[in-house]
Amino acid sequence: MSVESESFAYGSSMHGGRPTFALTRRLGVDAGLTLYELVPEDLADGRQKRFRKANSNHRLTRVAVTDAVPYVQEDPNGVFDFSEVGTPSGRTPSDWQWQDWCALKIATLSNSRQQAVQRLVRDVLDDSGINVDFVTRGEGSAILSEGAGIRLTTAFLAMKRLQKYEKLTTVADSITRMSIEECYYWHAKCRSPTNPNGVKALRTLLTAHL
């Protein structure tokens, strides 16, 4: 996987460079790796309306940012302290307001799916300059650039219903090798309210030979 360009080094320019994805590892009853997208509340509302308009069965699971990234501390002004969270190298996201933001759950991978995606997660975090220990040892969270989050979203959606380990590792390895442009293309296909078969098409493309 090639290192992403500086334009993707942190967050989306649409949101002033904020981080736009988070990855959290939990143990116990909710064990697994959960990927979230961080978005303004009004953007989440707009997406849900588009799903309803398209008669999609998909529903957005919305949680507070502090629930998605439970290791941040919030001060009275709504500024978060991310010092206990893995962040891309060279910048700590300590200067943004988050009162009108939420986290949208993308998927949780556990058991064999979590094992199969580990190498991709390590590659993504290494390329972003994030210490992988935040999401590979015990419980912890990391926040991700838009490009890194798009790549993991594509993988998590494609893998979440697969059973065979060979198919799981094939999907993860294939997405590792994708260009960032390909990841954006498949991300749009997989999450479009008007294209309910996007994830199925991606799975077929990557695993039909198995």
Side-chain angles (χ1 to χ4, degrees), residues 152-171:
L152 287 184
T153 295
T154 306
F156 272 55
L157 292 175
M159 296 170 68
K160 72 175 184 176
R161 297 194 184 281
L162 289 176
Q163 300 292 334
K164 293 184 178 179
Y165 194 74
E166 184 181 10
K167 288 189 175 183
L168 287 165
T169 55
T170 296
V171 168

Side-chain angles (χ1 to χ4, degrees), residues 192-210:
S192 170
T194 59
N195 186 20
N197 296 317
V199 175
K200 182 179 179 181
L202 177 59
R203 289 193 192 113
T204 300
L205 173 70
L206 300 181
T207 66
H209 62 289
L210 298 177

Side-chain angles (χ1 to χ4, degrees), residues 42-107:
D42 57 354
L43 181 57
D45 292 339
R47 287 189 188 177
Q48 189 63 76
K49 289 178 182 177
R50 287 193 292 276
F51 281 121
R52 287 197 295 266
K53 186 176 180 179
N55 294 318
S56 171
N57 291 325
H58 185 81
R59 294 292 180 269
L60 299 181
T61 300
R62 187 185 315 197
V63 300
V65 173
T66 48
D67 290 334
V69 191
Y71 305 97
V72 299
Q73 301 294 322
E74 184 176 5
D75 73 14
N77 297 318
V79 176
F80 290 174
D81 176 5
F82 284 86
S83 59
E84 300 299 318
V85 175
T87 59
S89 57
R91 189 169 182 187
T92 300
S94 58
D95 54 352
W96 291 295
Q97 301 292 318
W98 295 88
Q99 294 98 325
D100 298 322
W101 282 61
C102 65
L104 303 179
K105 181 180 176 181
I106 294 168

